[in-house]
Amino acid sequence: FPGLADVSISQDIPVEGEITVPVGSHSPDEDYSTLDEPVRDTIMRDLKAVGKKFVHVMYPRKSSALLRDWDLWGPLVLCVSLALMLQGGSADSKDDGGPQFAEVFVIIWFGAVVITLNSKLLGGTISFFQSLCVLGYCVLPLTVAMLVCRLVLLAGSGTISFIIRLIVVVAMFGWSTLASTAFLADSQPPNRKALVVYPIFLFYFVISWMILTFTPQ
Amino acid sequence: QGGGSAVIDMENMDDTSGSSFEDMGEMHQRMKEEEEEEAEGEAGAGEEEDGEFLGMKGLRGQLGRQVADQMWQAGKRQASRAFSLYANIDILRPYFDVEPAQVRARLLESMIPVKMINFPQKIAGELYGPLMLVFTLVAILLHGMKTSDTIIREGTLMGTAIGTCFGYWLGVSSFMYFLAYLCNAQITMVQMLSLLGYGLFGHCITLFITYNIHFHSLFYIFWLVVGGLSTLRMVAVLVSRTVGHTQRLILCGTLAALHMLFLLYLHFAYHKVVEGILDTLEGPNMPPFQRVARDIPVVSNAVLNTTAKAIALTL
C-alpha cells in the first residue's frame, strides 16, 4: 500500500475504462447499437427474455439459458404479484393475522439471499445473482397456485375447497422445488446436493404455507 | 497480518480471525486521511501558483490531476470494500465444510448423552446444522402460530418467529459463552453456537409433534424426555470441559434452565388464544386442568359447533 500514496496521472491522459459484467453475453457492438433502437424494441426484447425463462421454469430441462442471461425482472414481477395477492384485506379488519406486503417481499428476498450464501459457502460454482435469478423464477408455480387458491376461495371456503387448495399447493410446491434443484444442484459437488436442497425445500415450504393458510377477510 | 489472506489458521480461528480485516480498514482510513490532507495541501498550493503565473492551461491540468486522483482513490476504495466483503464470506467457509452423513450423525448424537465426562469431549465447530435447525424451528413456529390463530398486535408473525428463534440461538449462546469465560470452561464461541444449535433438534421434534396433536400430557412427556435428553447431552459436554464443582454447577444449571424454559415458552405462548376460546365457551365452573384437553367427553352441542367453526376458520 505505501506505493499507492504517490500515484499521479499526468494531465494529458484522460481517465477512461469499461465496466463489464462478467456473465453478461452482450458484445460491445450490440451495446452501442441498442441505444438507437426504438424503446418498443428494447422492451419487447426484455419481455421475450423473461417469457422464455418462464417457459424454462415450467418445463425444467437442463438448459443453461436461465443461468447465462440472468435478470431480476421476472423475480420482481412474481414477488410483487404474490405479495399483492397474499395481502389479506387487513386495512379494515382488526386482526393482522395475514402477512403484509412487506413481510412477503422480505421473506422471499431474504430467503433467497440466505440460500445463495449457503450454496456458495458449501462450495458452489454459481454466482450470487444467477442463484437469486433461479430462485426468483421458480416462485412462478407458487404464484399460479396462489391465483388458483384465490379463485377457489371465491367459490366457497369449506372442506372441499381446502382439499382442492391443498392438492394444488402441494403440487406446485413440489414443482418449484424440483425446478430450482434442477438448476442449482448441478453447481454443487455431488455428495453435497442434499445440503443445498434442504434450505430450498424449507424456503418454498414457508411460501406454500403462507399461500395455503391465506383466508380473505 | 494486514495481508488479508482468505486462508484461515485453524488453531486461532476463534480469536483473531476478524482482526486482520479491522486492521485493513483502519489502514485504509489512515491512508485516506493522509491523502486527503496531501490533496488539500496540493490544491491550496496549486491554486495559489496557478492564480499567479500559470494561466488557464496550468489550472485545467491541476484540476484534471485531482479529478484523476479522486477517481483512482474511489476505485481503490470500491475494490477494497468488495474484497473485504468476499473475504468475509471466506471467513465462514470452514464452518460450512460438512457432508450430509456428518450432519445426520451429529443430529442423532445430539440426543445421546455422553458418559465420559472426565475427558474433554470434542465439539464440532460447524454452523450449517445449527443454522438449518434454527430455520426449521422458525417454520415449525409459524405453523404453530397459524394453527392456534395467534394474533400479533405490534409486529408480524414472521418477524416474531424469526426474532424469537434467532434471538434465542445467538443471545443464549453469547450469554453462555460469557458464563463459560467466567467459569474457565474450555469452549469457543463457535463451539457454543454449534452445541446450542444442535440442542434445538429436540425442540424441533417436540414442537412438530405437539403442535399437531394437542394433548398437554403428551407435551409434558415429550418435554421431559426429549428436552431432557438433549439437555443432558449439552450438560455432559460442558461438564467435561469445566473444572471445579461450583463452576460446573453454575454453567450446567443455567444452560439446563434456559433450554427447558425455552421449550415451555414456545409451547405455551402460541396456544394461548385457543385456550382462551375454550375458556369463554365452557363457563367458569370447570377446573383449570380439564379445560385444556381437547377430548371433552360431555359438552353441549352449541359448544361443539362453535369450537368446530373456530377450528375450520383457522384453516
Side-chain angles (χ1 to χ4, degrees), chain B residues 7-144:
Chain B
V7 176
I8 306 296
D9 183 357
M10 296 295 280
E11 284 177 68
N12 301 329
M13 209 154 56
D14 45 343
D15 291 321
T16 58
S17 52
S19 60
S20 57
F21 299 104
E22 288 159 10
D23 285 350
M24 210 160 77
E26 266 183 40
M27 211 164 8
H28 279 295
Q29 188 66 27
R30 255 182 289 129
M31 297 267 326
K32 197 179 74 172
E33 283 165 24
E34 278 175 53
E35 284 168 2
E36 274 175 350
E37 285 174 21
E38 274 183 33
E40 276 175 49
E42 271 181 3
E47 278 175 30
E48 281 173 35
E49 284 174 41
D50 288 340
E52 280 178 45
F53 53 83
L54 277 180
M56 277 301 291
K57 183 166 179 291
L59 186 64
R60 191 177 59 217
Q62 196 66 350
L63 273 180
R65 203 170 104 186
Q66 276 162 36
V67 165
D69 271 342
Q70 292 286 341
M71 290 193 62
W72 176 269
Q73 282 163 28
K76 188 166 63 104
R77 245 176 284 136
Q78 292 276 34
S80 63
R81 233 180 283 146
F83 174 76
S84 54
L85 172 68
Y86 279 106
N88 276 334
I89 292 185
D90 276 336
I91 286 184
L92 294 176
R93 209 179 273 272
Y95 304 128
F96 281 75
D97 190 14
V98 287
E99 308 289 319
Q102 280 179 322
V103 175
R104 214 178 9 244
R106 284 175 194 161
L107 280 177
L108 291 175
E109 266 175 18
S110 75
M111 303 297 290
I112 304 175
V114 289
K115 293 216 167 33
M116 202 166 38
I117 57 176
N118 299 316
F119 186 73
Q121 296 294 315
K122 182 176 181 333
I123 308 176
E126 170 223 335
L127 286 181
Y128 173 83
L131 200 63
M132 288 306 131
L133 278 172
V134 173
F135 279 123
T136 311
L137 193 62
V138 168
I140 294 177
L141 214 61
L142 272 183
H143 167 52

Side-chain angles (χ1 to χ4, degrees), chain A residues 1 4-5 7-9 11 15 94-100 103 107 110 114 117-118 120-123 162 165 191-192 194-196 198-199 202 205-206 209 212-213 215, chain B residues 27-28 31 35 38 57 61 65 68-69 71-72 76 89 92-93 96-100 103 128 132 135-136 139 142-143 146-147 151-153 156-159 162 313 315:
Chain A
F1 288 104
L4 291 173
V7 158
S8 60
I9 303 179
Q11 344 171 351
V15 175
K94 289 177 307 196
D95 76 275
D96 298 322
Q100 306 297 314
E103 204 179 344
I107 289 173
F110 178 67
V114 166
L117 282 179
N118 175 56
K120 280 190 83 66
L121 284 170
L122 285 172
F162 176 69
R165 280 186 290 136
N191 49 345
R192 292 202 184 168
L195 296 183
V196 173
Y198 179 69
L202 212 54
F205 179 79
V206 169
W209 189 247
L212 192 57
T213 58
T215 47
Chain B
M27 211 164 8
H28 279 295
M31 297 267 326
E35 284 168 2
E38 274 183 33
K57 183 166 179 291
R65 203 170 104 186
D69 271 342
M71 290 193 62
W72 176 269
K76 188 166 63 104
I89 292 185
L92 294 176
R93 209 179 273 272
F96 281 75
D97 190 14
V98 287
E99 308 289 319
V103 175
Y128 173 83
M132 288 306 131
F135 279 123
T136 311
L142 272 183
H143 167 52
K146 275 288 183 181
T147 52
I151 299 173
I152 310 268
R153 300 253 167 236
T156 62
L157 279 180
M158 193 72 198
I162 291 185
L313 267 179
L315 294 175

